[in-house]
Amino acid sequence: MKNSLDDDFLFCENIIKQNSHSFHTAFSLLEKKEAQAVYAVYAFCRKADDIVDKNEGGYSLKKFEDELKSFEKGEYIDSPLWRALRSVFERYELSIQPFYDMLSGQRMDQNFCVFTTQEQLENYCYLVAGTVGMMLAPIIAVKNHKIIAPFAAELGKAMQITNILRDIGEDFAMKRVYLPIKVMKMFRYSMDDLSKSTINRNFKNLWEYEAKIAKNYYDRFLSAVEYLDEKSIKPVLASALLYQKILDKVRENGYDCFGSRNYVTQDEKKIIISSIFLREERRV
């Protein structure tokens, strides 16, 4: 018979199932305790994101941050998310700061301003996604989490840039342009071009410029996987490679980030995961 904490983690798992098939596919490969911890962290991040994008349950970021402050003080909050997260903090050496940083990034979306420079974009990517790597590091690398943390943060940044490159049209419809003004000017691609969903050589070069930055971050993380716990290597590699594959899907679709959704199919996911298992077996 499941206890109430099992139900709390199931609540969190359902959130990741509903919102990210790739992440659920990858992290469900973890052992139960670690998978549950990842689900709880993801549920926190998803809640913050939904407050901004969907006005989740009438919540405000301030209210959510007030709950985080109460949580930090050790106060009891009667909700599946906070109960599950409390258990995670008791099991692992998580720092509270990345959770606050995540909310700072969400405020940037709530009060959105177009970025001028690449540095501003990458700071945003750290706040909304690099922080997730910082949160997960103590779960996926118990002994070496301080070493892996900066690499995990870079993986988060790579994934966020990937999201941006996949969702250019969808974000523009929400009046959000994440491509930095100076980078757009460098490639002679204008806001008018963007408003017309123009896919020309300039757009492709601009897109590839950002994709190369993402790839460098992916590569840096992949060079540090030896610091992960042995049981975490396959699931975390899967999450990185499944997400990186999105960039290939956009290319295969003629760089159409405006009128169609670029996603990795179930068959492609199976191939990527199978290749990881084969590679790791050969390594051992």
Side-chain angles (χ1 to χ4, degrees):
M1 181 176 179
K2 288 192 294 187
N3 60 37
S4 59
L5 190 56
D6 286 329
D7 290 334
D8 293 337
F9 281 117
L10 184 59
F11 169 87
C12 296
E13 182 178 3
N14 285 335
I15 290 174
I16 194 171
K17 267 185 181 178
Q18 293 164 12
N19 291 280
S20 180
H21 296 298
S22 291
F23 281 146
H24 184 259
T25 297
F27 288 115
S28 62
L29 300 172
L30 284 166
E31 293 182 6
K32 181 179 178 180
K33 184 177 73 170
E34 285 75 24
Q36 287 179 332
V38 172
Y39 300 153
V41 168
Y42 180 91
F44 172 89
C45 300
R46 185 77 248 174
K47 177 78 171 180
D49 195 57
D50 285 347
I51 288 170
V52 173
D53 289 344
K54 301 178 183 178
N55 192 27
E56 175 76 11
Y59 254 78
S60 66
L61 276 179
K62 183 182 183 307
K63 181 178 179 182
F64 197 45
E65 186 172 38
D66 286 344
E67 289 186 351
L68 181 60
K69 289 176 181 177
S70 296
F71 175 84
E72 183 183 12
K73 293 175 184 175
E75 297 172 8
Y76 177 77
I77 305 171
D78 188 18
S79 81
L81 166 60
W82 294 113
R83 288 193 298 266
L85 211 54
R86 173 67 63 204
S87 176
V88 174
F89 268 75
E90 289 170 353
R91 295 179 190 176
Y92 302 96
E93 294 181 37
L94 271 69
S95 166
I96 199 72
Q97 189 57 48
F99 291 81
Y100 284 109
D101 291 343
M102 157 69 70
L103 298 187
S104 296
Q106 295 297 340
R107 282 196 188 86
M108 293 176 72
D109 273 334
Q110 195 169 57
N111 307 297
F112 187 76
C113 293
V114 176
F115 303 123
T116 302
T117 66
Q118 184 68 27
E119 290 74 18
Q120 289 172 340
L121 168 62
E122 292 189 39
N123 177 60
Y124 164 80
C125 289
Y126 168 75
L127 291 173
V128 297
T131 52
V132 183
M134 301 293 283
M135 295 172 195
L136 295 182
I139 300 168
I140 59 178
V142 174
K143 293 180 180 178
N144 297 314
H145 64 89
K146 291 182 181 178
I147 298 174
I148 200 69
F151 296 100
E154 290 183 332
L155 175 60
K157 289 171 69 173
M159 289 177 167
Q160 186 60 31
I161 294 172
T162 300
N163 281 341
I164 288 167
L165 293 176
R166 179 193 62 193
D167 298 336
I168 290 172
E170 186 178 316
D171 288 333
F172 187 80
M174 297 173 63
K175 299 183 179 178
R176 293 180 188 170
V177 177
Y178 291 99
L179 300 170
I181 295 297
K182 285 189 175 180
V183 177
M184 291 177 68
K185 285 183 178 178
M186 184 166 66
F187 289 97
R188 299 182 181 179
Y189 192 80
S190 68
M191 285 290 184
D192 185 56
D193 291 328
L194 194 57
S195 70
K196 295 174 181 175
S197 303
T198 302
I199 302 173
N200 55 17
R201 184 179 296 275
N202 291 347
F203 176 79
K204 293 175 184 178
N205 289 339
L206 164 62
W207 192 96
E208 287 291 356
Y209 174 84
E210 294 293 345
K212 183 177 180 180
I213 291 171
K215 185 178 186 304
N216 287 339
Y217 283 134
Y218 281 118
D219 289 346
R220 280 178 55 79
F221 175 78
L222 294 172
S223 72
V225 293
E226 66 191 82
Y227 296 111
L228 295 170
D229 293 341
E230 187 67 31
K231 59 188 174 183
S232 299
I233 291 176
K234 291 174 186 175
V236 177
L237 272 177
S239 72
L241 297 179
L242 287 172
Y243 231 79
Q244 190 173 14
K245 181 66 176 176
I246 293 170
L247 297 175
D248 292 332
K249 298 301 291 185
V250 177
R251 294 183 181 103
E252 291 168 14
N253 202 25
Y255 296 86
D256 185 1
C257 315
F258 300 97
S260 60
R261 185 72 171 173
N262 298 283
Y263 63 93
V264 182
T265 67
Q266 287 299 320
D267 286 343
E268 288 168 332
K269 288 177 185 177
K270 290 176 183 176
I271 292 170
I272 290 170
I273 291 171
S274 295
S275 69
I276 291 168
F277 274 77
L278 284 172
R279 181 168 58 189
E280 288 304 302
E281 284 170 8
R282 288 172 187 153
R283 186 177 68 86
V284 173

